[in-house]
Amino acid sequence: VPRTGEVVFDKVTFTYPGAEQPVLADISFTARRGTTTAIIGSTGAGKTTLISLIPRLHDATSGTVSVGGVDVREAQLESLWARIGLVPQRPYLFAGTVGSNLRYGREEATDEELWDALAIAQGEDFVRAMPETLDSPIAQGGTTVSGGQRQRLSIARALVRQPDVLIFDDSFSALDTATDARLRAALDREVTDATVIVVAQRVSSIVDADQILVMEDGRIVDRGTHSELLQTSPTYQEIVST
Ligand code: M5T
Ligand code: MG
């Protein structure tokens, strides 16, 4: 099994169990290691559903999804999940401490590794400012930290696991644009080997992506870089202007 996190969708269709209409139709793309693939599109376009097929939260109805050259259906779930860091659209924190929340998924991580992940996720300053830093208590649901702090802890948690595939589902939306920009610059600098997939609402979060997939009604209607799409995609132009 090659230790590469290349993600390939080949003619993927998906219908939720019991639903009549497919939510994803004819999705094909390759997300290469060391590159960033962005997915943008209006609410309900199917972005969250698409990324949920990678760790097999759902299985494709037809077509194949593969990670590192292996069909995810043939991969052992535990080893598949060990390779994927997914930051969900609604970040969740457990009752415990900052440290125990960050270690979820990799219990053996050292404090230094937690700080490294926090530095990239732009969470270092606020955790250092907490009275007990990594040992500071977190209430169930993370109600003692702000939405933006919760998002950054959730991002740091994914980084601690050092996955081959890093997926951010609208993970930068609660961050102000300056923090968003610093975080993406740090990711670019520090996370160079992973396959990064970014679902975003804000175009400013994805202008530097190696490829952008524009989704509409469960389909990829256009693809390219930011500057290519500005020239070729009316849908993208509309997203940019709103
Ligand atoms: C795409 C439907 C949803 C929408 C379409 C998660 C989920 C979604 N859907 C279900 O029927 N059951 C489900 O469990 O699928 O939804 P999405 O993938 O969540 O879209 P999105 O991520 O692009 O939207 P948003 O709002 O996060 O930008 O018809 O009803
Ligand atoms: Mg979504």
Side-chain angles (χ1 to χ4, degrees):
V1 181
R3 271 288 289 179
T4 139
E6 182 163 287
V7 174
V8 180
F9 277 59
D10 186 28
K11 300 192 185 70
V12 169
T13 302
F14 178 73
T15 306
Y16 277 102
E20 303 200 334
Q21 296 288 327
V23 168
L24 299 175
D26 198 25
I27 301 286
S28 296
F29 71 91
T30 298
R32 294 207 163 78
R33 179 183 189 191
T35 73
T36 298
T37 295
I39 304 174
I40 197 161
S42 53
T43 180
K47 305 179 296 294
T48 295
T49 304
L50 186 156
I51 57 160
S52 74
L53 304 184
I54 301 169
R56 287 191 68 190
L57 304 181
H58 299 290
D59 273 332
T61 308
S62 65
T64 54
V65 175
S66 62
V67 173
V70 177
D71 185 336
V72 291
R73 278 182 232 237
E74 268 136 43
Q76 198 209 346
L77 259 192
E78 213 174 312
S79 61
L80 179 69
W81 285 353
R83 306 178 65 193
I84 298 171
L86 193 160
V87 182
Q89 194 163 11
R90 287 204 194 84
Y92 52 90
L93 296 178
F94 306 105
T97 63
V98 170
S100 69
N101 268 280
L102 294 179
R103 281 196 177 88
Y104 176 72
R106 201 164 142 252
E107 300 300 326
E108 70 276 18
T110 63
D111 281 5
E112 197 188 344
E113 288 172 318
L114 302 191
W115 287 115
D116 287 347
L118 283 167
I120 298 171
Q122 306 302 305
E124 189 180 356
D125 291 352
F126 81 80
V127 174
R128 282 210 196 278
M130 291 170 115
E132 298 170 77
T133 67
L134 292 174
D135 296 324
S136 302
I138 294 281
Q140 185 171 2
T143 48
T144 44
V145 292
S146 76
Q149 290 172 337
R150 205 153 48 226
Q151 226 165 23
R152 282 175 278 175
L153 291 176
S154 182
I155 292 165
R157 172 195 284 158
L159 294 170
V160 166
R161 301 176 61 235
Q162 300 175 344
D164 295 334
V165 183
L166 250 177
I167 306 168
F168 300 103
D169 191 356
D170 204 17
S171 303
F172 311 134
S173 56
L175 308 178
D176 60 77
T177 49
T179 306
D180 179 7
R182 276 201 303 276
L183 197 156
R184 283 180 294 103
L187 278 174
D188 258 10
R189 209 171 45 236
E190 308 289 341
V191 183
T192 50
D193 277 352
T195 302
V196 179
I197 299 178
V198 177
V199 172
Q201 302 281 353
R202 209 161 44 200
V203 169
S204 64
S205 303
I206 60 161
V207 285
D208 299 326
D210 298 286
Q211 73 174 330
I212 300 169
L213 311 176
V214 183
M215 283 191 76
E216 211 174 61
D217 286 337
R219 290 174 184 276
I220 298 174
V221 292
D222 290 305
R223 66 183 78 203
T225 61
H226 175 70
S227 57
E228 286 164 358
L229 288 167
L230 280 181
Q231 311 239 347
T232 59
S233 171
T235 313
Y236 191 72
Q237 287 158 7
E238 195 174 316
I239 295 168
V240 171
S241 64
T242 52

